[in-house]
Amino acid sequence: MKKNESGRSMVEMLGVLAIIGVLSVGGIAGYTMAMNRYRANEVVDMANKYAVIAYSAYMTSKMMNNGTPAANAIPSFASTGLFGSHSSVNGTKIGNAKVDEDYVRITLTFNNEKICQATATSLGAVISSPAPSNSPAPSNSPAPSTSSIPVPMADPEPAPKPTVSQANCGSKTIEAVFKQS
């Protein structure tokens, strides 16, 4: 006697659904990581452009005022028009620049810790994790939550390459340093 088989069994269908589910989870995780890297690179790019504008404004003001830059020589990020009239890029606030002869320092404040970590990594920082919350900190000192990262300044390429002087992704801030030539 021949049995007529029409279709798949329930076990086979559940197996296919499980495989699709596992592949979907991996795809979503990869997409999320790629988007965080994209957002981090966009923040670094905008901060780099702002550093060039701030340094140019500083040096122009210094030349026009006989070696002393004007107090209001450095424009705010929002006034540069780089990202419309906004002072943030992808939810990351780009703080006003601090400029001296050789460096431009810009503080980046993130609303997303993953983008903070991706930005710090793209700037060459190594993020160390804060102490686990279940381990008690000594009562006379605060819990270690700041990663202070000394980074040697390399000679820049034609465009200034930022490095990180401090990264604290627990409080979602990075101080990016742009060395000027």
Side-chain angles (χ1 to χ4, degrees):
M1 188 165 180
K2 194 172 183 182
K3 217 173 167 185
N4 276 341
E5 197 176 298
S6 62
R8 305 279 177 211
S9 72
M10 186 62 112
V11 173
E12 289 173 326
M13 294 305 291
L14 288 175
V16 168
L17 285 176
I19 291 170
I20 291 172
V22 168
L23 293 175
S24 297
V25 168
I28 290 170
Y31 174 77
T32 302
M33 286 177 19
M35 287 305 297
N36 285 341
R37 280 193 306 267
Y38 166 77
R39 290 181 180 122
N41 288 335
E42 189 173 8
V43 168
V44 170
D45 183 49
M46 284 295 168
N48 196 6
K49 289 176 183 175
Y50 176 47
V52 170
I53 290 170
Y55 188 75
S56 297
Y58 174 84
M59 293 306 287
T60 302
S61 175
K62 187 174 175 180
M63 284 190 302
M64 297 182 88
N65 293 317
N66 298 323
T68 306
N72 61 350
I74 303 167
S76 68
F77 178 75
S79 69
T80 62
L82 285 173
F83 211 71
S85 61
H86 304 286
S87 63
S88 64
V89 177
N90 288 324
T92 300
K93 185 178 183 312
I94 298 181
N96 290 338
K98 298 173 190 155
V99 182
D100 63 23
E101 292 298 316
D102 299 320
Y103 299 99
V104 176
R105 298 178 193 288
I106 300 174
T107 302
L108 308 171
T109 307
F110 298 83
N111 65 1
N112 183 323
E113 189 173 344
K114 298 286 185 192
I115 296 174
C116 178
Q117 291 171 347
T119 302
T121 302
S122 74
L123 292 173
V126 177
I127 304 296
S128 61
S129 301
S133 59
N134 58 359
S135 65
S139 59
N140 58 355
S141 67
S145 64
T146 302
S147 306
S148 184
I149 303 163
V151 177
M153 295 297 165
D155 289 332
E157 294 146 21
K161 178 154 176 48
T163 56
V164 175
S165 67
Q166 269 192 350
N168 183 355
C169 287
S171 68
K172 301 177 187 167
T173 59
I174 291 177
E175 183 180 61
V177 179
F178 300 81
K179 182 173 178 19
Q180 303 302 318
S181 55

